[in-house]
Amino acid sequence: MKPDFFKYLPSEISTNILSRLPLRTIAISKCVCKPWLRLLTTDDFIKSHLAKSDPCLALSTPEEHSTSLAVYQLNDHQNLNHHDLHYNPLTKFDFPHTSTIICSANGLLFLRGSGETHYVCNPITRQHTELHCPQEIIKPYRKIVNYPEILGDSRYAYPHFVSYGFGVSKVSDQYKVVRIYLDSVIVHGNNGSFSGRRVIPKADCHVHTLGTGQWRRVEPGPLLLEYTYRSTCVFLNGNLHWVASDSDEKLWISCFDLETESFSYLSIPPIFQESFELVPGLSTLGECLCLCDQTMEEETVIWVMKEYGVEESWTKEYTMRLNDGDEIYVEGWELVYPIKVFEDGDILMLVKDTQLLYYSAKNETVGQVGIVGAASGSILFTPTFLSLKSLGVESVVEEVRNELEESMGNQETEPVLNYDKASPTPSSSVRKRRSSRRTRPRTKYGTP
């Protein structure tokens, strides 16, 4: 019998080896033996694997009572014959709630449901938890407001807005959900028209740390900004980011430090701004903040902050046309979110939260990504085997695993999420073979 060298390896070396395996292989490895099963669920392995894991593409497509979540591995090679060859399906399953991807952090997706209901989901382990904001925090929508210090005796309908974000603190490694609420008053002019002066008399910010079950109020920051439905949240470098405007309609990037739970602000690059309502699409490219200026119909400009937090490092990185004159036409007011730049120069983008396009810098052409239909959300995330239960979350739901033929089409390999349905105990056929070896007669020189 050959000696089991792996059995005597230090756990640090075993962790280093196993964390470099593909996702499917790691999932199967959990079924090999109980020591591996225990090792692959330790904090050391989770952190080691996350540090080495390559980003994947997550897509969400809402249905009537559920959401189809799909994960694709990315092929970043230069000599591919077609853009769709960049994507390899990894897993797909039905999330049991209608929702849309908002942002991601360290392999966990933050999903917006209906109303004030949100979800944190790990698409690799298929665990999720449901989050509800307490009623004492939720402000009722009032169509009529009276701020005497601003409007005098006049009363005018005003909009209010709630924005959410999700990320993990840089030092304490705590996963947090941030909720921002604000009132925005449009002052009525003497002649019956808007004066154009906007005032934000009230803003609230609350933070929920996963595993605590509590929401805490924090200071909303010295600069009161208006967040709109176009102000999508981006997590990067331990901070949450939104594009928002002040009362003078100047755009800022609002930054919330998840460690200190405080706000700071960054200036945006010199983009064309026709209206404060037409904020540019904020996203990340690699490890950099990215703004996509789509306010001019003739061209789309992608700005990249080369050095995080340094406003002078904003660089006009890409300029392109997203209209092919036939099937693809992107309006000047539509939001465009760059997602990834491939090695061959193709740029993957999400348009209007519904359409995946790519721009070929080599050919200066635009095309649709054919692997999916309409998608309400798309984001890059780093796959992880982190369990929500390890964060202290009590109400964790684990979805029933589907066969790969049902979830991703006709593939021969096992799905990455079927590992915990299999037992790490050897099967009966294996036990029989081992038993037969033990009962075979021994000779002076060992088993014949």
Side-chain angles (χ1 to χ4, degrees):
M1 178 183 298
K2 294 182 179 181
D4 186 358
F5 293 107
F6 213 100
K7 179 179 179 181
Y8 301 102
L9 282 177
S11 60
E12 309 86 52
I13 298 179
S14 300
T15 296
N16 191 17
I17 294 174
L18 293 175
S19 63
R20 299 174 185 274
L21 298 176
L23 288 169
R24 294 181 185 275
T25 307
I26 293 175
I28 296 173
S29 298
K30 287 194 172 188
C31 305
V32 172
C33 60
K34 290 183 178 179
W36 280 21
L37 177 63
R38 290 191 293 267
L39 177 66
L40 296 175
T41 56
T42 61
D43 291 340
D44 289 341
F45 173 80
I46 299 298
K47 293 178 180 179
S48 179
H49 173 263
L50 183 63
K52 301 180 181 70
S53 186
D54 293 325
C56 289
L57 181 68
L59 300 176
S60 64
T61 306
E63 299 174 357
E64 186 174 358
H65 301 294
S66 63
T67 301
S68 175
L69 284 179
V71 177
Y72 293 84
Q73 291 180 311
L74 301 178
N75 286 329
D76 202 355
H77 302 297
Q78 296 189 18
N79 299 320
L80 298 178
N81 295 328
H82 194 278
H83 178 83
D84 286 353
L85 297 177
H86 282 297
Y87 312 97
N88 287 333
L90 179 64
T91 187
K92 182 180 180 180
F93 67 101
D94 288 331
F95 186 71
H97 307 279
T98 302
S99 57
T100 303
I101 298 175
I102 296 181
C103 57
S104 70
N106 286 11
L108 301 183
L109 302 180
F110 186 61
L111 308 173
R112 179 181 65 240
S114 59
E116 294 272 355
T117 302
H118 292 74
Y119 309 93
V120 176
C121 171
N122 186 337
I124 300 302
T125 63
R126 295 192 184 179
Q127 292 178 332
H128 79 269
T129 186
E130 188 171 322
L131 300 175
H132 295 277
C133 192
Q135 287 298 321
E136 58 267 24
I137 294 179
I138 298 176
K139 302 292 191 299
Y141 177 69
R142 297 168 292 169
K143 293 186 178 180
I144 301 297
V145 65
N146 186 15
Y147 285 101
E149 68 278 12
I150 300 174
L151 302 177
D153 295 331
S154 65
R155 296 164 66 86
Y156 186 72
Y158 75 100
H160 83 292
F161 189 77
V162 177
S163 182
Y164 279 85
F166 173 73
V168 57
S169 56
K170 206 169 185 179
V171 179
S172 59
D173 206 32
Q174 294 180 318
Y175 291 79
K176 300 181 180 182
V177 178
V178 177
R179 180 185 187 270
I180 300 175
Y181 169 92
L182 60 91
D183 289 346
S184 179
V185 177
I186 303 176
V187 179
H188 204 282
N190 296 328
N191 59 355
S193 62
F194 298 129
S195 68
R197 185 167 64 91
R198 295 161 48 252
V199 181
I200 304 173
K202 182 179 179 61
D204 281 327
C205 181
H206 290 82
V207 178
H208 170 78
T209 302
L210 290 189
T212 64
Q214 302 293 325
W215 289 81
R216 298 173 288 104
R217 187 184 184 279
V218 299
E219 289 299 319
L223 185 59
L224 294 181
L225 300 177
E226 180 166 4
Y227 302 76
T228 72
Y229 72 96
R230 296 170 68 95
S231 303
T232 55
C233 179
V234 171
F235 171 70
L236 179 67
N237 201 36
N239 289 263
L240 301 179
H241 307 81
W242 298 265
V243 176
S245 60
D246 60 21
S247 57
D248 294 325
E249 299 188 0
K250 179 182 178 181
L251 293 180
W252 298 85
I253 296 180
S254 176
C255 312
F256 184 81
D257 190 317
L258 291 165
E259 191 65 49
T260 63
E261 297 186 352
S262 60
F263 282 91
S264 61
Y265 310 97
L266 295 172
S267 297
I268 67 169
I271 65 172
F272 173 79
Q273 184 184 347
E274 183 178 358
S275 168
F276 73 92
E277 295 179 343
L278 297 180
V279 300
L282 180 66
S283 61
T284 60
L285 278 179
E287 296 298 322
C288 298
L289 276 179
C290 165
L291 270 176
C292 189
D293 181 13
Q294 179 59 22
T295 54
M296 297 292 290
E297 292 188 13
E298 290 79 11
E299 63 181 19
T300 298
V301 178
I302 298 178
W303 293 82
V304 175
M305 180 178 274
K306 295 288 190 176
E307 186 176 350
Y308 181 79
V310 179
E311 298 170 340
E312 294 77 15
S313 67
W314 281 114
T315 304
K316 185 186 291 188
E317 195 76 0
Y318 304 98
T319 301
M320 65 196 74
R321 295 178 181 271
L322 296 183
N323 302 320
D324 65 354
D326 188 12
E327 298 180 356
I328 300 175
Y329 185 81
V330 180
E331 298 281 357
W333 52 267
E334 292 175 335
L335 280 171
V336 177
Y337 301 102
I339 297 176
K340 179 176 174 60
V341 179
F342 291 96
E343 289 291 335
D344 59 7
D346 286 3
I347 303 175
L348 176 65
M349 293 167 286
L350 179 67
V351 181
K352 304 186 290 187
D353 290 335
T354 59
Q355 189 179 22
L356 280 176
L357 299 180
Y358 72 91
Y359 176 81
S360 173
K362 183 188 302 182
N363 302 321
E364 297 185 350
T365 57
V366 61
Q368 295 185 359
V369 179
I371 58 170
V372 294
S376 67
S378 177
I379 198 169
L380 282 189
F381 80 107
T382 306
T384 179
F385 289 94
L386 176 69
S387 171
L388 293 178
K389 295 179 181 179
S390 68
L391 303 178
V393 179
E394 296 181 354
S395 55
V396 176
V397 179
E398 299 189 45
E399 298 307 314
V400 178
R401 275 61 175 169
N402 297 324
E403 292 299 324
L404 196 62
E405 290 79 9
E406 299 175 358
S407 62
M408 296 305 299
N410 296 323
Q411 297 188 33
E412 297 297 327
T413 54
E414 286 295 317
V416 71
L417 302 176
N418 268 356
Y419 57 82
D420 62 353
K421 300 298 288 184
S423 170
T425 305
S427 64
S428 59
S429 60
V430 173
R431 288 196 298 270
K432 288 179 180 179
R433 290 196 298 270
R434 291 180 179 176
S435 175
S436 64
R437 287 199 300 266
R438 286 195 296 267
T439 57
R440 293 168 69 180
R442 283 186 169 272
T443 67
K444 177 181 179 180
Y445 304 101
T447 303

